[in-house]
Amino acid sequence: MNPSTRSSSSLGTSRGLRIALLWILFSLISLVTYAVSQSMGSGTFDAAAAFLSGEHDIDVVLYADRAEPASVEVETGQRVVFIVGDDSRHDMAEERTQRREARLASGEIEKGDSFSVAFRESGSLSFYDRMNQDIHVSVTVR
């Protein structure tokens, strides 16, 4: 057999592997695009700060009766990700300390959903769950 020829079975395996890798690549691109579009919809996504900061996201897990942790500190540009940790529904919103036109809010999120916020300015904010007003999360941005 000529060393430059390949069997048809090895060509099929190679082609199948390439197709699988392309499918994985497109799936990852779709997930990243979805996550970015959800963050941009909140009106607070600062892509340059989020990607250039090099900081890790801070996860806050939401349960029916609490949030863990209930208080977080982040750097400017770092993201806080509210993740639903059980079967309950949540609607996280910024508590207003002064009258402003806009307020950060997740809308209703449920199991498998998350809501992320990147902060551009230092300060303190407090969030509460509009579906269970006993759940509060304080965020300090340095």
Side-chain angles (χ1 to χ4, degrees):
M1 176 187 272
N2 186 345
S4 65
T5 56
R6 295 183 182 167
S7 70
S8 61
S9 65
S10 68
L11 287 175
T13 304
S14 176
R15 182 172 183 251
L17 181 61
R18 284 193 306 253
I19 289 171
L21 289 174
L22 281 173
W23 183 84
I24 291 169
L25 178 64
F26 286 125
S27 297
L28 288 173
I29 290 170
S30 296
L31 286 172
V32 169
T33 302
Y34 175 77
V36 169
S37 69
Q38 291 299 306
S39 296
M40 291 176 75
S42 70
T44 61
F45 184 75
D46 184 346
F51 292 112
L52 296 177
S53 69
E55 298 294 329
H56 298 285
D57 294 345
I58 301 295
D59 294 341
V60 175
V61 182
L62 304 170
Y63 298 100
D65 61 345
R66 69 191 184 286
E68 291 181 4
S71 179
V72 296
E73 289 188 16
V74 297
E75 298 294 327
T76 303
Q78 192 173 14
R79 293 186 324 163
V80 173
V81 182
F82 294 96
I83 302 169
V84 179
D86 60 10
D87 291 330
S88 59
R89 295 186 331 227
H90 300 274
D91 186 356
M92 298 304 292
E94 176 188 4
E95 291 187 60
R96 293 185 184 184
T97 55
Q98 55 184 318
R99 189 91 175 133
R100 296 186 316 199
E101 285 186 31
R103 166 172 48 184
L104 301 174
S106 67
E108 190 173 311
I109 56 177
E110 55 189 28
K111 186 174 186 172
D113 291 336
S114 65
F115 169 68
S116 62
V117 182
F119 300 94
R120 297 181 199 173
E121 299 175 5
S122 60
S124 295
L125 295 104
S126 182
F127 289 84
Y128 73 101
D129 187 345
R130 290 193 271 198
M131 299 184 91
N132 180 350
Q133 296 190 9
D134 291 333
I135 298 175
H136 292 268
V137 176
S138 62
V139 177
T140 302
V141 184
R142 299 180 294 239

